[in-house]
Amino acid sequence: MRLMLMWPQVEVAQSYERGGAACLSVLTDEKYFKGSFENLEAIRKAGVKCPLLCKEFIIEAWQIYYARSKGADAILLIAAVLSDLDIRYMTKICKMLGLAAIIEVHDEREMDRVLGIEGIEIIGINNRNLETFEVDINNTKKLLQGERGQMIREKDIIVVGESGLFTPEDIAFVQEAGAKAVLVGESLVKRSDPGKGIAELFGKDISH
């Protein structure tokens, strides 16, 4: 199980990396989340070695090039706001630039769309309902059952569980459902000791 962490500033990013994070998700959207590309660039230049995911509302191709220029190793493409054609086009750009693309889905319809697109390597399942904003980690299990789960295994797609993960039991639940990584933020961002928070979230020390 890989751990991906959200929202870090430079010092926090370094603490998360020491604590065992496999990837850091850095908010770059300024309008809604008060993030910045300057912070992404600062984290990269500070010597953080683990991959950096640019957390931005990507809707145009130039944003991908810009994220790469600022040090991003991966980007998030949200199926709810992109057409299939956009996703195909943008994933090709990512491969050309050496970027990983996480395609985020929220429900069965979005999952079916994404599974119909060739070349998808990573899918993030967000457990937050976009209409009600309610969070239910059973969403990950629901989207990985039956034919969908079989197709994901056949295509060797990595699944990332997102939102609603606060305890070792939550982590174990989505892992058993088929997630190979988790993206967490809220459960750790308020902790004064990131390394200890990560250990408590996983129920063990994963820093080695």
Side-chain angles (χ1 to χ4, degrees):
M1 173 63 68
R2 298 276 184 171
L3 174 63
M4 305 168 70
L5 288 164
M6 293 174 61
W7 304 328
Q9 301 293 321
V10 171
E11 287 153 3
V12 178
Q14 292 168 332
S15 296
Y16 281 160
E17 184 174 46
R18 289 193 297 270
C23 179
L24 298 175
S25 176
V26 184
L27 282 167
T28 55
D29 176 80
E30 295 186 28
K31 183 175 181 181
Y32 297 104
F33 293 107
K34 310 303 180 186
S36 73
F37 279 99
E38 287 71 24
N39 187 42
L40 172 68
E41 189 172 33
I43 291 171
R44 173 55 72 218
K45 289 182 176 179
V48 172
K49 294 181 175 59
C50 67
L52 301 181
L53 168 65
C54 172
K55 190 72 180 293
E56 175 71 69
F57 291 106
I58 302 289
I59 56 173
E60 295 183 19
W62 70 265
Q63 294 173 286
I64 303 173
Y65 290 92
Y66 190 65
R68 188 58 164 156
S69 75
K70 292 297 185 180
D73 302 288
I75 62 165
L76 190 70
L77 299 177
I78 304 173
V81 299
L82 295 171
S83 68
D84 293 0
L85 185 62
D86 286 334
I87 294 173
R88 286 192 184 94
Y89 176 55
M90 291 181 178
T91 52
K92 285 181 180 179
I93 292 174
C94 287
K95 289 179 181 179
M96 182 180 70
L97 296 177
L99 280 166
I102 300 177
I103 318 301
E104 183 177 277
V105 303
H106 298 81
D107 55 32
E108 294 99 327
R109 185 181 63 83
E110 292 175 7
M111 176 66 90
D112 290 341
R113 281 178 51 210
V114 171
L115 288 177
I117 300 173
E118 288 300 318
I120 300 301
E121 298 178 350
I122 310 173
I123 292 177
I125 298 178
N126 196 325
N127 297 311
R128 189 181 304 277
N129 186 302
L130 287 181
E131 295 181 358
T132 66
F133 293 101
E134 292 180 357
V135 177
D136 182 2
I137 64 172
N138 283 291
N139 190 48
T140 295
K141 183 176 181 179
K142 180 175 68 175
L143 297 190
L144 293 178
Q145 289 178 330
E147 293 182 6
R148 293 185 183 94
Q150 181 64 31
M151 190 178 297
I152 285 169
R153 290 188 291 273
E154 289 174 357
K155 290 175 176 276
D156 199 26
I157 294 172
I158 296 170
V159 174
V160 181
E162 304 174 13
S163 299
L165 306 171
F166 293 95
T167 67
E169 291 74 25
D170 294 336
I171 300 295
F173 180 85
V174 295
Q175 183 174 21
E176 187 175 334
K180 301 298 183 185
V182 289
L183 177 62
V184 297
E186 188 179 352
S187 58
L188 292 174
V189 72
K190 295 178 181 179
R191 293 180 181 269
S192 57
D193 185 337
K196 185 177 180 181
I198 292 171
E200 289 176 355
L201 178 63
F202 276 78
K204 60 182 178 181
D205 184 357
I206 64 167
S207 61
H208 304 295

